[in-house]
Amino acid sequence: YWHRNQWQYKARADERLILGKAWWPLGGTQENLLPAHQAFAALQERLGQAGGMDKLFSKWEREILLHPSNPLDYSDRTKADKIKHLKILRKAFGHMSPSSIRPKHCAQYLDLRGAKSRSQANQEFNTLSVVFKSAVRWGVVDINPCKGLSRHKIQDRDRLPTRAELEALKSVSTPFIRLYVDLKYKTGLRQKDLLELRV
């Protein structure tokens, strides 16, 4: 906009958190727009992380999830799961601006996704919440819209597989799987812990 005798950019709400103000001077004159265009290009590069949820997801994946220092101490399995969550979350939120997402949008996602799988809905929602926690730290948004929303209640398993069921599984399995089932049955270890066992 031509504002106060120079070209200025009027920032969106999420961009104001980064710039610290609503109007950002670009310079130039009404006759010579080149300096304003150059300043605008530099400003857009600076605001890259505030340009949409898709960019926010990419920034979080690059700087938190896959960063060599592993700041959240995620296991390889958890990282792989989070990458899958981001792929699904991009379809739902990627086109939106971070500042435009409200708690009602997050709740709607939980409800719609929960109709198919409550457990997956909770896990993806947790990933979305962690992304927004980082976004708050980076100044992209001022609040986490996921905060305070309750997840789906997941019913605990009410029974363990019987020995007969395990034998039926083993009867159609490879030798490795048969041994794996026996060892898991006797130790109760998680898959990751079993696969990391050494003689």
Side-chain angles (χ1 to χ4, degrees), residues 147-166:
K147 193 172 183 180
L149 294 177
S150 58
R151 277 77 166 163
H152 292 291
K153 289 186 178 178
I154 306 298
Q155 193 170 13
D156 292 336
R157 293 178 183 161
D158 56 359
R159 73 176 194 87
L160 295 172
T162 64
R163 187 71 193 171
E165 289 170 333
L166 291 176

Side-chain angles (χ1 to χ4, degrees), residues 13-53:
D14 54 328
E15 296 170 336
R16 290 175 200 169
L17 293 167
I18 296 169
L19 299 177
K21 54 187 177 181
W23 291 94
W24 190 263
L26 301 173
T29 64
Q30 284 189 314
E31 295 79 25
N32 184 8
L33 293 173
L34 183 59
H37 282 295
Q38 291 171 336
F40 179 69
L43 178 64
Q44 287 300 102
E45 191 171 336
R46 178 179 174 184
L47 294 172
Q49 76 267 28
M53 283 300 296

Side-chain angles (χ1 to χ4, degrees), residues 32 42 44 51-52 59 62 78 94 103 139 156 163 170 174 181 199:
N32 184 8
Q44 287 300 102
K59 180 178 173 68
R62 182 179 63 252
T78 301
D156 292 336
R163 187 71 193 171
K170 287 167 53 181
T174 63
V181 168
V199 176

